[in-house]
Amino acid sequence: MAENEWLNKDFYKVLGVSKDASEADITKAYRKLARKYHPDLNKTKEAEEKFKDVSEAYDVLNNKESRQKYDAIRSFGAGGARFAGGSGAGGFDASGFSDMFGSMFGGAGGSMPGGGNIRFTTTGGSGGAGPDLGSMFGSMFGGGMPGSAAGGQGYAQQAVPEKGEDRHSSVTLSFRQAVKGATVSLKMGSHQFKAHIPAGVNDGQKIRLAGKGKPGRNGGEAGDLYLKVSVAPDPRFSMDGVNLIGTLPVTVSEAALGATIETRDYDGKTLRVKVPSGTSSGTKLRVRGEGVHTNRAVGDLLLEVQVRLPKRLGAAAKRAIKEFAEHTASFEDSVRSEREQAGE
């Protein structure tokens, strides 16, 4: 919008604020009206025109320099912007501006060229009967208006940046990928990209991928992608924070006599685990540093001992078990006593 059209626009009225409204009041009023009339929220033709008016008003009043120009132009009158010297009714006393206008039009000593009465008429370009108010007040206040082209042609409406909408998706990982972390390929519409899943992610956890949502509008930032992770269960291992929990089957002789045995972790790596003599089922043996590795911590592997017995015993094995029981009678008595007390 050219400055010479401002006389016909009451931007304060458009925003519903007073002429002495603060910048904060103007911004608050604009945001309220923008939400009400924005084309994405209100599809009517009337709302579209209203949104344009609101945006124009905000662009002028939100800028300190352009607001000063607007107030100055509006204060000189409406319509044809005619000013008459003297103090008669309906007139405007131009004596206070004599030096300013005199210097603009070549006068000296504060006198107006051609006498005391001054008449200004607005023009849309060259060849008019009087000076162009837009150019005149532009030189008075330090240049042209933001958004106005040379010669006062057109007005560029400032679009409001809006963040893009968030997206939601899901991905399924193996237990190994969940423990070690993984890079997965994702596709959103026609857009493909890779995303890194951090080590130690849990089943059902949501991961936020910043800027991977829908594109923003009017230069706004893109939305985010929220990725829900499903972790396939492992028959032997589970996660507890940065620690891994697993089982360790051992024989009766290994548990009774003690042994160093070999087992494999979740990734198939061979581990050597020391089983102390007299180890019972349910005992947890800690293997340090073999859990989840993150940037903040390194977890351990906790193996729960499971003492296994054969389903069928031969005659010699049965004799050996009975002989073992005879040699550990006091131990068997303490176990029976503990069992009976637990049942009370």
Side-chain angles (χ1 to χ4, degrees):
M1 176 186 295
E3 294 95 321
N4 55 22
E5 297 179 23
W6 286 354
L7 291 170
N8 301 320
K9 292 281 187 175
D10 189 344
F11 292 145
Y12 293 103
K13 184 177 180 180
V14 171
L15 293 181
V17 297
S18 63
K19 293 183 180 181
D20 59 351
S22 65
E23 292 183 7
D25 292 336
I26 290 172
T27 300
K28 182 179 180 180
Y30 165 72
R31 289 177 177 173
K32 180 179 179 181
L33 293 172
R35 284 193 297 269
K36 181 177 180 181
Y37 296 111
H38 196 283
D40 289 345
L41 303 176
N42 194 328
K43 304 296 184 180
T44 65
K45 183 67 176 178
E46 180 183 359
E48 181 180 353
E49 295 300 322
K50 189 68 176 178
F51 182 74
K52 290 180 180 179
D53 293 341
V54 169
S55 298
E56 290 175 354
Y58 179 70
D59 288 341
V60 173
L61 299 184
N62 189 51
N63 182 285
K64 184 177 180 180
E65 292 184 2
S66 61
R67 184 178 179 180
Q68 289 178 340
K69 292 181 181 180
Y70 174 74
D71 290 341
I73 292 175
R74 292 278 295 180
S75 69
F76 291 154
R82 294 178 173 84
F83 309 119
S87 56
F92 180 83
D93 187 355
S95 60
F97 295 91
S98 59
D99 292 338
M100 176 176 66
F101 291 137
S103 63
M104 291 172 60
F105 296 102
S111 60
M112 296 292 105
N117 292 331
I118 308 171
R119 181 183 298 271
F120 295 145
T121 58
T122 62
T123 63
S126 59
D132 185 343
L133 285 179
S135 300
M136 180 180 71
F137 288 112
S139 64
M140 290 167 59
F141 294 101
M145 286 299 303
S148 61
Q153 302 298 319
Y155 183 85
Q157 177 178 317
Q158 180 180 356
V160 179
E162 297 182 35
K163 183 178 180 179
E165 297 178 7
D166 295 333
R167 293 180 185 267
H168 297 269
S169 188
S170 60
V171 65
T172 299
L173 304 179
S174 66
F175 185 80
R176 177 184 179 277
Q177 288 176 315
V179 173
K180 297 180 75 69
T183 298
V184 297
S185 295
L186 301 173
K187 184 176 182 180
M188 294 285 106
S190 60
H191 179 52
Q192 287 186 319
F193 60 93
K194 294 185 180 296
H196 177 68
I197 308 298
V201 66
N202 296 309
D203 183 53
Q205 183 175 339
K206 285 188 176 181
I207 297 175
R208 174 177 169 268
L209 301 176
K212 296 300 183 181
K214 293 184 179 180
R217 293 181 290 274
N218 304 326
E221 61 182 0
D224 302 327
L225 170 62
Y226 289 88
L227 190 64
K228 184 177 181 180
V229 178
S230 297
V231 179
D234 187 274
R236 187 180 164 201
F237 295 96
S238 62
M239 275 191 287
D240 181 14
V242 293
N243 292 328
L244 297 180
I245 309 297
T247 58
L248 182 66
V250 299
T251 65
V252 173
S253 60
E254 289 171 336
L257 302 177
T260 298
I261 60 178
E262 288 187 352
T263 187
R264 294 185 182 276
D265 70 358
Y266 69 94
D267 201 21
K269 184 176 71 173
T270 300
L271 299 175
R272 293 177 63 83
V273 182
K274 183 178 181 179
V275 180
S277 60
T279 298
S280 300
S281 285
T283 300
K284 289 184 178 180
L285 304 178
R286 184 182 296 271
V287 185
R288 297 192 179 279
E290 294 297 335
V292 181
H293 289 227
T294 70
N295 294 332
R296 296 183 178 181
V298 175
D300 300 328
L301 172 61
L302 304 177
L303 295 174
E304 183 176 336
V305 173
Q306 295 180 345
V307 179
R308 302 287 178 84
L309 289 168
K311 291 183 179 180
R312 295 182 179 181
L313 295 174
K318 288 180 180 181
R319 286 194 299 270
I321 293 294
K322 288 179 181 179
E323 185 177 352
F324 174 78
E326 292 173 357
H327 288 290
T328 60
S330 61
F331 170 74
E332 292 202 2
D333 288 341
S334 66
V335 172
R336 290 191 192 97
S337 177
E338 181 180 349
R339 187 167 57 231
E340 290 171 357
Q341 290 176 0
E344 292 180 353

